[in-house]
Amino acid sequence: MTAVLEVRDLKVRFSTPDGEVSAVNGVSFDINEGECLGIVGESGSGKSQLFMAVMGLLARNGRTEGSAKYRGTELVGMPVKELNTYRGSKLAMIFQDSMTSLTPHLRIGKQMTEVLIQHKGMSEADARGKALDILELVRIPEAARRLNQYPHELSGGMRQRVMIAMSLLCEPDLLIADEPTTALDVTVQAQILELMADLKRVTRAAIVLITHELGTVAGLCDRVQVMYGGRFMETGDVRQIFYNPQHPYTNGLLSSMPRLTEDRREKLYAIPGQPPNLQRLPAGCPFQERCDFVHERCVAELPLLRPVTNAAGTGQMKACHLESLQHPVDDPSRASIPADAAPPVIRTSDARTA
Amino acid sequence: MLSYAVRRLLEAIPTLLVIVALSFFLMHSAPGGPFDSERVLPPEIEANLKAAYNLDKPVWQQFLIYLGNALQGDFGPSFTYKDFTVSELIGTGFPVSIRLGLTAIILAVCIGCTLGVIAAMRQNTSTDYTVMGFSMVGITIPNFVMAPLLTLVFGIYLGWLPVAGWGGGAINHMILPVVALALPQIAIISRLTRGGMVEVLRSNFVRTAHAKGLPERLIIWRHTLRAALLPVVSYLGPAIAGLVTGSVVIEQIFGLPGIGRYFIQGAINRDYTLVMGTVITYGTLIVMMNLLVDLVYGLLDPRVRYD
């Protein structure tokens, strides 16, 4: 398998008046052709900034160290002019808040055609035709009319579809979706996820799904990387992570998901404490302050990613000093997950948008 | 949008009436009158004068008479410039002021916006600090200092430009007053532009534009500038009204026949009709400019609705 993106020891730092903030602290991973990778973490875990750094979209006070290669070409430190030949054409990004992420004073058509004119040198008319095709691909009703509308004239779900359509215009190899469903209603979320699942089948693009919702990941991704304090805590394929989480943090995340089968009088589990202060990360494991299994070694020594010993299959890694994490076998909530895949949060059928 | 404009124009009528009434009664309640002078006039002459100008009637009657005449386009004779009507005075002075003011504001918008955009794009660099430094100087130096300085340097030391006078509106006569008028405006507009740009450059849609791989130039022109200029547009409405009605200081220093001086002289001389004439001119302009600003807002931002 060829890697579309190879990231090695990537670090992201922000200099602020209160000191240096270490958002991403040396992560390494590959994304292979056609694969769907889920990046999971709480707010402030560095999951978004990691990919902002790859795309060269960090805020002015941010800087990137390490390496991120797109098919062998180094993106970190690439001059903006050159980077612009990759952004939007080879690598595309879908942002969270479609209301503020689309230019309010430009018609949808213009915002889409400019990408094709820039990267493909198309004429305005050809670009419009292509934009229309893509809008239809993402199942926007009355696509031709939408081209002449402004973002505020569309519903939230439709705007997000436009956002997705815009990223697909140049048929990118790598599609980075940064919390694509967070700002949407639950029903619309489900529609957008369904669309993403379709796109995964139709396009050959590798997809990165950045999210804090494990349900989203379960339905869509092949592989999951759990991030905390700017580091990967656990990585593995989606079943390994969901059925056999070997990092206490992953386990905590899974336990804090509400389940329909669970007794409703029972209090929902929450990981105690707050995410770490990225200005003063502790010496050892970033999760030490919130971990139930913390011992001396966790405080003294930073755990590095290593293969999980009791994994089902290969490829599961965790950054934890614990030898293995035992799960109560008779835990009814865990046993209730069907064996083929974790269930989607909501399934809709025959939904229409007006 | 057309019906909105018409409605706003109709709404302007009561606004102007209030302005006219307020200034009329305030002015008449101030002590003194147009014919008070150090030399005491014989009572018969003063009575005749007052009768000729209707000043012997109660103020409310004077107001109604004035309003009636004004509605027919007659703003009365000036009390000080005795051979001229107010309409003639404003009619000859206004074109001069408009020409100076508009030239200055166009110059200020071009230079101010450019400087603001450059400063914002090179935010927190020496370029930014230099531009903002100069703009701070431009705001703080009053024009009664700047204008003589310009005259001194370019009129006297270098001898490139005429020191004063209108010269029938010749270009070389306009340069110094226009520059003196424009400098503080350049300063303000560049700061407003920079502020707007810095804010919009941080917005999510500009980030999207970068993610799309668009070149910087296109991002600035197409995605940023329109949203960033909203504060400049709001400022420009009243600023244009202020500039085209002339500046007393600039007109005095350069000896220009604009209408700016009438604002002060009219008030000092209790030249009732002249004051009313300038108030109506200025009031109408402000109302029109604010309407124009609101319409331009709609052009810049499609989310603005007129209903």
Side-chain angles (χ1 to χ4, degrees):
Chain A
M1 257 198 294
T2 341
V4 182
L5 189 74
E6 288 170 85
V7 175
R8 292 291 172 272
D9 198 27
L10 195 85
K11 294 181 179 129
V12 177
R13 305 258 178 279
F14 291 97
S15 35
T16 70
D18 306 325
E20 186 115 308
V21 176
S22 313
V24 179
N25 299 297
V27 296
S28 303
F29 62 99
D30 290 352
I31 299 169
N32 295 317
E33 275 178 349
E35 118 177 294
C36 182
L37 173 68
I39 306 280
V40 183
E42 290 167 82
S43 309
S45 60
K47 57 191 191 300
S48 291
Q49 294 310 325
L50 164 58
F51 286 94
M52 292 293 171
V54 170
M55 291 286 283
L57 294 174
L58 289 181
R60 278 167 181 276
N61 59 342
R63 52 173 216 285
T64 313
E65 290 161 31
S67 156
K69 284 184 179 155
Y70 166 80
R71 292 191 187 279
T73 314
E74 183 61 69
L75 298 174
V76 175
M78 184 186 269
V80 177
K81 252 198 184 128
E82 205 186 330
L83 192 58
N84 275 342
T85 60
Y86 291 88
R87 296 196 287 203
S89 87
K90 309 272 195 268
L91 307 103
M93 199 150 180
I94 299 166
F95 294 98
Q96 178 183 147
D97 184 356
S98 60
M99 182 75 239
T100 59
S101 294
L102 292 169
T103 304
H105 57 255
L106 288 182
R107 291 176 206 278
I108 303 295
K110 190 88 199 160
Q111 301 197 44
M112 294 186 74
T113 54
E114 64 180 0
V115 181
L116 292 164
I117 294 169
Q118 179 65 29
H119 293 295
K120 304 273 179 198
M122 280 190 188
S123 69
E124 180 78 40
D126 289 353
R128 253 184 115 78
K130 172 90 183 175
L132 193 63
D133 291 348
I134 303 272
L135 283 183
E136 274 160 5
L137 177 75
V138 300
R139 298 196 291 269
I140 284 194
E142 298 176 79
R145 191 161 74 90
R146 308 298 170 200
L147 285 177
N148 286 320
Q149 286 184 312
Y150 290 101
H152 72 276
E153 294 172 306
L154 305 184
S155 68
M158 231 179 318
R159 274 197 301 267
Q160 195 57 295
R161 280 174 200 269
V162 168
M163 199 72 215
I164 293 171
M166 226 157 74
S167 69
L168 296 173
L169 283 168
C170 294
E171 288 150 22
D173 281 351
L174 178 62
L175 196 57
I176 302 165
D178 187 2
E179 310 228 12
T181 58
T182 304
L184 302 172
D185 291 347
V186 192
T187 45
V188 184
Q189 278 186 14
Q191 295 165 14
I192 295 291
L193 287 178
E194 208 172 297
L195 172 66
M196 298 277 300
D198 285 354
L199 293 177
K200 195 181 134 188
R201 281 194 297 273
V202 199
T203 69
R204 285 164 304 140
I207 299 177
V208 176
L209 188 69
I210 305 170
T211 182
H212 60 261
E213 289 164 319
L214 287 157
T216 315
V217 171
L220 218 59
C221 298
D222 310 313
R223 223 149 46 87
V224 183
Q225 305 193 146
V226 180
M227 237 181 140
Y228 188 83
R231 289 196 169 83
F232 289 140
M233 295 288 105
E234 185 164 6
T235 72
D237 73 42
V238 71
R239 270 180 228 178
Q240 288 171 330
I241 297 291
F242 273 83
Y243 298 130
N244 183 27
Q246 279 301 304
H247 194 289
Y249 179 60
T250 318
N251 195 39
L253 281 182
L254 286 166
S255 309
S256 27
M257 274 170 72
R259 278 168 214 283
L260 292 173
T261 50
E262 217 154 70
D263 186 347
R264 260 185 260 165
R265 279 160 302 183
E266 212 170 294
K267 210 175 156 193
L268 184 65
Y269 176 78
I271 304 174
Q274 295 287 319
N277 182 345
L278 294 172
Q279 277 174 42
R280 281 179 294 278
L281 281 169
C285 173
F287 191 55
Q288 54 179 274
E289 284 156 11
R290 304 170 76 184
C291 186
D292 293 337
F293 305 93
V294 65
H295 52 287
E296 299 89 40
R297 203 175 158 202
C298 306
V299 182
E301 188 191 329
L302 178 73
L304 300 173
L305 271 181
R306 62 190 173 91
V308 167
T309 46
N310 58 346
T314 54
Q316 190 175 359
M317 313 263 281
K318 68 168 175 178
C320 179
H321 293 309
L322 276 184
E323 204 41 55
S324 68
L325 194 64
Q326 296 304 317
H327 304 289
V329 191
D330 53 350
D331 182 342
S333 65
R334 205 162 294 292
S336 69
I337 304 175
D340 55 333
V345 184
I346 279 184
R347 193 180 293 288
T348 55
S349 59
D350 199 31
R352 287 170 213 281
T353 45
Chain B
M1 193 163 127
L2 188 71
S3 68
Y4 171 81
V6 171
R7 208 183 67 225
R8 281 284 301 268
L9 283 175
L10 291 176
E11 279 170 11
I13 294 169
T15 313
L16 281 173
L17 269 178
V18 171
I19 295 172
V20 169
L22 265 179
S23 13
F24 194 90
F25 290 111
L26 275 173
M27 191 172 57
H28 281 267
S29 65
F35 305 114
D36 293 347
S37 56
E38 281 165 34
R39 189 161 52 91
V40 181
L41 292 169
E44 305 80 45
I45 295 181
E46 200 177 334
N48 274 341
L49 267 173
K50 284 197 164 169
Y53 289 104
N54 291 325
L55 291 175
D56 52 344
K57 297 195 174 67
V59 176
W60 66 268
Q61 271 189 20
Q62 291 181 42
F63 177 67
L64 289 181
I65 293 168
Y66 177 79
L67 205 60
N69 290 338
L71 286 177
Q72 293 163 42
D74 176 10
F75 294 93
S78 166
F79 288 57
T80 334
Y81 305 91
K82 296 215 167 56
D83 297 331
F84 299 96
T85 66
V86 169
S87 305
E88 281 166 355
L89 286 175
I90 292 180
T92 49
F94 204 19
V96 173
S97 295
I98 288 181
R99 204 167 149 196
L100 281 173
L102 276 186
T103 318
I105 205 83
I106 290 168
L107 188 72
V109 167
C110 293
I111 299 179
C113 287
T114 313
L115 287 179
V117 169
I118 292 171
M121 285 175 68
R122 312 239 188 292
Q123 199 192 335
N124 298 336
T125 63
S126 53
T127 317
D128 182 20
Y129 295 139
T130 313
V131 170
M132 286 303 106
F134 272 112
S135 117
M136 187 49 90
V137 172
I139 291 172
T140 44
I141 294 186
N143 53 7
F144 56 82
V145 175
M146 185 52 83
L149 263 176
L150 288 172
T151 319
L152 207 60
V153 174
F154 296 100
I156 294 171
Y157 293 156
L158 297 171
W160 291 350
L161 294 165
V163 172
W166 181 231
I171 299 283
N172 61 340
H173 281 268
M174 278 180 64
I175 293 174
L176 284 184
V178 162
V179 169
L181 276 174
L183 278 176
Q185 302 301 328
I186 291 174
I188 294 168
I189 291 171
S190 65
R191 292 189 86 84
L192 286 173
T193 309
R194 179 190 178 272
M197 286 289 294
V198 165
E199 203 177 306
V200 179
L201 282 174
R202 269 202 296 255
S203 68
N204 286 344
F205 59 83
V206 169
R207 185 182 63 189
T208 307
H210 281 291
K212 291 198 288 192
L214 301 177
E216 188 77 25
R217 184 176 30 82
L218 195 73
I219 293 176
I220 296 291
W221 278 108
R222 193 178 285 168
H223 292 266
T224 316
L225 210 53
R226 260 169 79 176
L229 286 183
L230 290 177
V232 179
V233 170
S234 344
Y235 169 75
L236 276 181
I240 290 175
L243 274 180
V244 300
T245 46
S247 150
V248 187
V249 176
I250 297 296
E251 285 175 15
Q252 290 292 339
I253 290 173
F254 292 103
L256 303 171
I259 60 166
R261 58 200 161 132
Y262 296 145
F263 282 77
I264 303 290
Q265 285 174 4
I268 291 173
N269 298 333
R270 295 284 185 279
D271 192 339
Y272 292 151
T273 45
L274 186 57
V275 169
M276 290 314 296
T278 53
V279 163
I280 290 172
T281 312
Y282 189 62
T284 313
L285 261 171
I286 285 275
V287 169
M288 302 292 277
M289 282 304 148
N290 281 334
L291 171 61
L292 200 65
V293 164
D294 288 344
L295 293 180
V296 171
Y297 253 87
L299 292 179
L300 290 178
D301 189 343
R303 287 170 298 182
V304 174
R305 297 224 150 270
Y306 301 108
D307 42 32

